[in-house]
Amino acid sequence: MDHVEKARSLFLSGANCAQAVAGAFADLCRMEEEKLFQLSCGFGGGVGRMREICGAVSGMTLVADILYASGSIGKGDKDAQYARIRELAERFRRETGSIVCRELLGLEKAREESPVSAERTPEYYKKRPCVEMVALAASILEEYIAQNPPAL
């Protein structure tokens, strides 16, 4: 299963957007899926269900950090990674028009009243574009990795 289909499958199995994207790349990150699920959990729902940056974009960022960030706190190293993340986010924005969860969902309010997520039912999946956002983020990241192989 490729990373895009893996991300879709994880989302449809109950992972949030960030977890689905991050978990799909467990093989390249050389980490257990569960560890990536743990590290990305709070990014779901646009960070803690506040509907800010899309969880799929956050998952993409986490994987890119694992694969490409140097681990240095030096300005040059951070700036290089910031440029990479902006490029990935811009690719996502070009396809969707936004990287903001509430805008992608067509919501008026920035923040949900409750941090409790909705039950995953067939109706839930029908009214949310999230599975497509997850697939798009995984596709963008997969293409980027193919063009820019990380030093593994």
Side-chain angles (χ1 to χ4, degrees), residues 28-48:
L28 295 181
C29 292
R30 298 181 182 178
M31 296 176 77
E32 296 294 322
E33 277 184 0
E34 292 76 18
K35 180 52 84 175
L36 288 163
F37 295 158
Q38 177 188 21
L39 293 171
S40 58
C41 182
F43 295 113
V47 181

Side-chain angles (χ1 to χ4, degrees), residues 11-15 49 51 114-128:
F11 183 79
L12 293 172
S13 297
R49 208 162 177 264
R51 305 301 184 201
S114 170
V116 179
S117 59
E119 289 295 320
R120 297 287 183 92
T121 64
E123 292 75 32
Y124 171 92
Y125 291 113
K126 284 181 190 174
K127 68 181 183 176
R128 299 234 194 254

Side-chain angles (χ1 to χ4, degrees), residues 4 23 36 60 84 100:
V4 175
L36 288 163
M60 189 169 51
R84 177 177 290 111
V100 177

